[in-house]
Amino acid sequence: MINRIIALLIRYKNIAFGSFPRLLSIFYWPTVQILFWGYFTNFFVSNNEMGVWTALNIILSAVVLWDVLFRGQLGLTMSFFEELWSRNLPNLFITPVKDYEIVISLVLISFIRTIIGITPAIFFANYFFEFHLFELGVNLIFLFANLLMIGWSIGFIVSGLVLRYGQAFEELAWAIIFIILPFSCVYYPLSSLPDLIQKIAIILPTVHIFESMRLILIEQKIITGNFILIISLNVFYITLSINFFLKMIEVAREKGLLFNQGE
Amino acid sequence: MSLKSLSTKNLSKKYDNKTVINEVTINLPSKGIFGVLGKNGAGKTTFLAMLMGLIKPTSGNISIFEKSLEYRKYEILKEINFQSPYVELPKKMTVEQNLLFYARLYEVKNSKEKVHRLSKDLLVTKLLDSNYGTLSSGQKTRVNLCKALLNDPKLLLLDEPTASLDVSTSEFIRRYLIDFQKKNNSAIIITSHNLDEIEEMCSYIILLDKGKVTFDGSKTSLFKNNKYSSLKEFFLNDK
């Protein structure tokens, strides 16, 4: 019996510690939880004059917008992973379909999946909590579009990594969003973070998006410079990530990986 | 001079320091059934994958119907297709959805009609509404073959097309492919470990050993040169 238990333990140890992404997910989550809830509580305790409804509105807006990013990324990666899981990649890549056509299709399906996924959430928030996301006005479209773009950027990076390095990186598809969550200042302002982390966090477009959201909801103020920065960062990241994905397809062709992917 | 279905010149593939395909130069006529034979690890599947652009050669050239694969890849991909028991179709879609999906990718005209005709020919009509993931391996092979014939390929690549199939399904597939080749004047390249199958179907043989072509010519000349009467005899005596 002991031998069999030891054999199983070795097997589970190899699964858990055998790849870097899996190892990362083991020790990363508790740290993320502590950081996230710590900053979140700090912000609301030190701003208790804000009022419950304003606070609730900010939280719900942040939840819905964050989900746009999450759905956007998942919609893209899961659609691509389906091809890997069904061992369909060789069939797909020997058709006359061009690599950039795959990119366009993934972006479009992600958009459709996000719209379908997010609509009931907005409806229920409106119905049960009198939450009006549309108070963000036309800015909502801007924020929505930019969050989707961030989701796509992350999705292309994760898909490229899985194509190149295999299924151990699939875990990243679920985890990566939450890796950047504490530094994205979704539920608290940038100023809540320590100085050093602030300097790193500003390279994330999510920071500027959620800062803009809070400014609109609390002070009804728009800073054009912020919007320009968001677009610039997003154009940079989406270009980078699509090129990375296309490069990984090329590397997969060189290394013969398109033929050997699957369940 | 007649059009060649496939020409390769000094085609090589290396992974790090391991040479998988070594300076392969062959020229195949525009029509016929050609067998690629070799032991496990000889490089047969890598060779096929390179012909479809799935694996990029380290050096050398590939031309299909006199068009360079490097420069006119998408033009060529419209005219070729592939089937292997190791490559599947999306499992969560029905057989019909799968076939229509690929018909659209190949821009097949009257796609629905074509799918139904091929399904009838390959005895998969009753499976059209079934999820691909629920099919047996014999049924999957016939559906995969439907997919591979959707664009009436001028060059059809088959990687062990009858592996793990029962005797009657294997025979049905072989008969169908021989008829298809005759009717369409196409070229078919088959890799297989089933020597009887290759002997029955192919008039032209390419032997690969450790990535190198050791023989390339008609079946009769292979037997004549080596004084053997069957491929099995040839392989059993090959050191």
mmCIF file of all heavy atoms in Angstrom, chain B residues 14-35:
data_model
loop_
_atom_site.group_PDB
_atom_site.id
_atom_site.type_symbol
_atom_site.label_atom_id
_atom_site.label_comp_id
_atom_site.label_asym_id
_atom_site.label_seq_id
_atom_site.Cartn_x
_atom_site.Cartn_y
_atom_site.Cartn_z
ATOM 1 N N LYS B 14 16.488 19.578 -40.066
ATOM 2 C CA LYS B 14 17.297 19.266 -38.884
ATOM 3 C C LYS B 14 16.625 19.862 -37.656
ATOM 4 O O LYS B 14 16.144 20.994 -37.701
ATOM 5 C CB LYS B 14 18.689 19.891 -39.017
ATOM 6 C CG LYS B 14 19.583 19.161 -39.978
ATOM 7 C CD LYS B 14 20.937 19.827 -40.081
ATOM 8 C CE LYS B 14 21.737 19.182 -41.201
ATOM 9 N NZ LYS B 14 22.951 19.905 -41.530
ATOM 10 N N TYR B 15 16.587 19.096 -36.572
ATOM 11 C CA TYR B 15 16.170 19.629 -35.275
ATOM 12 C C TYR B 15 17.414 19.628 -34.407
ATOM 13 O O TYR B 15 17.951 18.559 -34.103
ATOM 14 C CB TYR B 15 15.098 18.748 -34.637
ATOM 15 C CG TYR B 15 13.777 18.748 -35.383
ATOM 16 C CD1 TYR B 15 13.263 17.578 -35.932
ATOM 17 C CD2 TYR B 15 13.050 19.920 -35.540
ATOM 18 C CE1 TYR B 15 12.061 17.565 -36.613
ATOM 19 C CE2 TYR B 15 11.842 19.917 -36.224
ATOM 20 C CZ TYR B 15 11.347 18.745 -36.749
ATOM 21 O OH TYR B 15 10.161 18.742 -37.416
ATOM 22 N N ASP B 16 17.859 20.801 -34.024
ATOM 23 C CA ASP B 16 19.140 20.965 -33.320
ATOM 24 C C ASP B 16 20.217 20.249 -34.147
ATOM 25 O O ASP B 16 20.483 20.662 -35.255
ATOM 26 C CB ASP B 16 19.055 20.446 -31.877
ATOM 27 C CG ASP B 16 17.980 21.215 -31.096
ATOM 28 O OD1 ASP B 16 17.887 22.447 -31.312
ATOM 29 O OD2 ASP B 16 17.228 20.602 -30.329
ATOM 30 N N ASN B 17 20.776 19.156 -33.603
ATOM 31 C CA ASN B 17 21.825 18.497 -34.392
ATOM 32 C C ASN B 17 21.336 17.227 -35.071
ATOM 33 O O ASN B 17 22.108 16.522 -35.705
ATOM 34 C CB ASN B 17 23.026 18.160 -33.491
ATOM 35 C CG ASN B 17 23.738 19.427 -33.080
ATOM 36 O OD1 ASN B 17 23.829 20.377 -33.858
ATOM 37 N ND2 ASN B 17 24.210 19.458 -31.846
ATOM 38 N N LYS B 18 20.044 16.929 -34.899
ATOM 39 C CA LYS B 18 19.522 15.678 -35.455
ATOM 40 C C LYS B 18 18.941 15.911 -36.862
ATOM 41 O O LYS B 18 18.042 16.749 -37.028
ATOM 42 C CB LYS B 18 18.449 15.133 -34.514
ATOM 43 C CG LYS B 18 18.109 13.697 -34.801
ATOM 44 C CD LYS B 18 17.003 13.211 -33.895
ATOM 45 C CE LYS B 18 16.558 11.838 -34.362
ATOM 46 N NZ LYS B 18 15.225 11.518 -33.977
ATOM 47 N N THR B 19 19.445 15.153 -37.818
ATOM 48 C CA THR B 19 18.943 15.279 -39.189
ATOM 49 C C THR B 19 17.804 14.282 -39.386
ATOM 50 O O THR B 19 18.000 13.079 -39.265
ATOM 51 C CB THR B 19 20.063 15.008 -40.208
ATOM 52 O OG1 THR B 19 21.120 15.937 -39.928
ATOM 53 C CG2 THR B 19 19.588 15.215 -41.631
ATOM 54 N N VAL B 20 16.633 14.803 -39.696
ATOM 55 C CA VAL B 20 15.454 13.941 -39.855
ATOM 56 C C VAL B 20 15.208 13.644 -41.333
ATOM 57 O O VAL B 20 14.829 12.539 -41.699
ATOM 58 C CB VAL B 20 14.210 14.612 -39.217
ATOM 59 C CG1 VAL B 20 13.014 13.686 -39.277
ATOM 60 C CG2 VAL B 20 14.489 15.007 -37.792
ATOM 61 N N ILE B 21 15.417 14.645 -42.165
ATOM 62 C CA ILE B 21 15.325 14.466 -43.619
ATOM 63 C C ILE B 21 16.647 14.966 -44.201
ATOM 64 O O ILE B 21 17.083 16.081 -43.889
ATOM 65 C CB ILE B 21 14.132 15.266 -44.201
ATOM 66 C CG1 ILE B 21 12.786 14.711 -43.700
ATOM 67 C CG2 ILE B 21 14.163 15.282 -45.733
ATOM 68 C CD1 ILE B 21 12.409 13.341 -44.220
ATOM 69 N N ASN B 22 17.260 14.118 -45.037
ATOM 70 C CA ASN B 22 18.626 14.405 -45.449
ATOM 71 C C ASN B 22 18.752 14.500 -46.976
ATOM 72 O O ASN B 22 18.748 13.490 -47.659
ATOM 73 C CB ASN B 22 19.531 13.299 -44.888
ATOM 74 C CG ASN B 22 20.988 13.685 -44.934
ATOM 75 O OD1 ASN B 22 21.339 14.737 -45.444
ATOM 76 N ND2 ASN B 22 21.831 12.818 -44.407
ATOM 77 N N GLU B 23 18.791 15.721 -47.481
ATOM 78 C CA GLU B 23 19.073 15.976 -48.908
ATOM 79 C C GLU B 23 18.195 15.128 -49.842
ATOM 80 O O GLU B 23 18.703 14.456 -50.747
ATOM 81 C CB GLU B 23 20.553 15.668 -49.206
ATOM 82 C CG GLU B 23 21.549 16.487 -48.391
ATOM 83 C CD GLU B 23 21.809 17.860 -48.996
ATOM 84 O OE1 GLU B 23 21.790 17.972 -50.226
ATOM 85 O OE2 GLU B 23 22.000 18.820 -48.221
ATOM 86 N N VAL B 24 16.900 15.203 -49.628
ATOM 87 C CA VAL B 24 15.982 14.403 -50.455
ATOM 88 C C VAL B 24 15.683 15.113 -51.777
ATOM 89 O O VAL B 24 15.211 16.254 -51.786
ATOM 90 C CB VAL B 24 14.672 14.108 -49.685
ATOM 91 C CG1 VAL B 24 13.613 13.521 -50.619
ATOM 92 C CG2 VAL B 24 14.932 13.159 -48.531
ATOM 93 N N THR B 25 15.983 14.431 -52.863
ATOM 94 C CA THR B 25 15.664 14.970 -54.193
ATOM 95 C C THR B 25 14.825 13.924 -54.918
ATOM 96 O O THR B 25 15.299 12.806 -55.151
ATOM 97 C CB THR B 25 16.954 15.254 -54.993
ATOM 98 O OG1 THR B 25 17.703 16.241 -54.274
ATOM 99 C CG2 THR B 25 16.638 15.769 -56.392
ATOM 100 N N ILE B 26 13.565 14.277 -55.203
ATOM 101 C CA ILE B 26 12.727 13.331 -55.965
ATOM 102 C C ILE B 26 11.849 14.100 -56.951
ATOM 103 O O ILE B 26 11.581 15.303 -56.762
ATOM 104 C CB ILE B 26 11.802 12.462 -55.065
ATOM 105 C CG1 ILE B 26 10.986 13.327 -54.108
ATOM 106 C CG2 ILE B 26 12.550 11.399 -54.339
ATOM 107 C CD1 ILE B 26 9.860 12.558 -53.453
ATOM 108 N N ASN B 27 11.401 13.423 -57.970
ATOM 109 C CA ASN B 27 10.492 13.995 -58.963
ATOM 110 C C ASN B 27 9.402 12.971 -59.234
ATOM 111 O O ASN B 27 9.709 11.845 -59.634
ATOM 112 C CB ASN B 27 11.239 14.273 -60.272
ATOM 113 C CG ASN B 27 12.236 15.392 -60.087
ATOM 114 O OD1 ASN B 27 11.872 16.544 -59.877
ATOM 115 N ND2 ASN B 27 13.519 15.041 -60.122
ATOM 116 N N LEU B 28 8.156 13.363 -58.987
ATOM 117 C CA LEU B 28 7.052 12.419 -59.202
ATOM 118 C C LEU B 28 6.174 12.885 -60.352
ATOM 119 O O LEU B 28 5.910 14.092 -60.491
ATOM 120 C CB LEU B 28 6.201 12.296 -57.936
ATOM 121 C CG LEU B 28 6.882 11.747 -56.684
ATOM 122 C CD1 LEU B 28 5.896 11.679 -55.531
ATOM 123 C CD2 LEU B 28 7.470 10.366 -56.946
ATOM 124 N N PRO B 29 5.697 11.947 -61.177
ATOM 125 C CA PRO B 29 4.804 12.320 -62.284
ATOM 126 C C PRO B 29 3.501 12.961 -61.793
ATOM 127 O O PRO B 29 3.203 12.913 -60.600
ATOM 128 C CB PRO B 29 4.517 10.989 -62.969
ATOM 129 C CG PRO B 29 5.367 9.980 -62.337
ATOM 130 C CD PRO B 29 5.934 10.516 -61.089
ATOM 131 N N SER B 30 2.749 13.519 -62.740
ATOM 132 C CA SER B 30 1.556 14.292 -62.348
ATOM 133 C C SER B 30 0.438 13.418 -61.789
ATOM 134 O O SER B 30 -0.439 13.894 -61.094
ATOM 135 C CB SER B 30 1.032 15.089 -63.533
ATOM 136 O OG SER B 30 0.607 14.197 -64.526
ATOM 137 N N LYS B 31 0.440 12.140 -62.151
ATOM 138 C CA LYS B 31 -0.627 11.276 -61.630
ATOM 139 C C LYS B 31 -0.086 9.905 -61.250
ATOM 140 O O LYS B 31 0.962 9.485 -61.758
ATOM 141 C CB LYS B 31 -1.752 11.169 -62.643
ATOM 142 C CG LYS B 31 -1.335 10.729 -64.002
ATOM 143 C CD LYS B 31 -2.477 10.881 -64.971
ATOM 144 C CE LYS B 31 -1.984 10.536 -66.379
ATOM 145 N NZ LYS B 31 -2.943 10.810 -67.406
ATOM 146 N N GLY B 32 -0.828 9.253 -60.369
ATOM 147 C CA GLY B 32 -0.394 7.927 -59.917
ATOM 148 C C GLY B 32 -0.478 7.829 -58.404
ATOM 149 O O GLY B 32 -0.763 8.815 -57.718
ATOM 150 N N ILE B 33 -0.259 6.638 -57.914
ATOM 151 C CA ILE B 33 -0.240 6.440 -56.455
ATOM 152 C C ILE B 33 1.188 6.070 -56.051
ATOM 153 O O ILE B 33 1.760 5.113 -56.592
ATOM 154 C CB ILE B 33 -1.241 5.353 -56.010
ATOM 155 C CG1 ILE B 33 -2.658 5.708 -56.495
ATOM 156 C CG2 ILE B 33 -1.235 5.210 -54.491
ATOM 157 C CD1 ILE B 33 -3.748 4.742 -56.038
ATOM 158 N N PHE B 34 1.751 6.858 -55.164
ATOM 159 C CA PHE B 34 3.159 6.719 -54.800
ATOM 160 C C PHE B 34 3.277 6.347 -53.323
ATOM 161 O O PHE B 34 2.657 6.990 -52.477
ATOM 162 C CB PHE B 34 3.907 8.030 -55.057
ATOM 163 C CG PHE B 34 3.583 8.639 -56.401
ATOM 164 C CD1 PHE B 34 2.758 9.753 -56.500
ATOM 165 C CD2 PHE B 34 4.080 8.070 -57.570
ATOM 166 C CE1 PHE B 34 2.435 10.294 -57.735
ATOM 167 C CE2 PHE B 34 3.758 8.597 -58.809
ATOM 168 C CZ PHE B 34 2.930 9.712 -58.897
ATOM 169 N N GLY B 35 4.052 5.343 -53.052
ATOM 170 C CA GLY B 35 4.195 4.885 -51.665
ATOM 171 C C GLY B 35 5.511 5.343 -51.057
ATOM 172 O O GLY B 35 6.559 5.238 -51.699
#
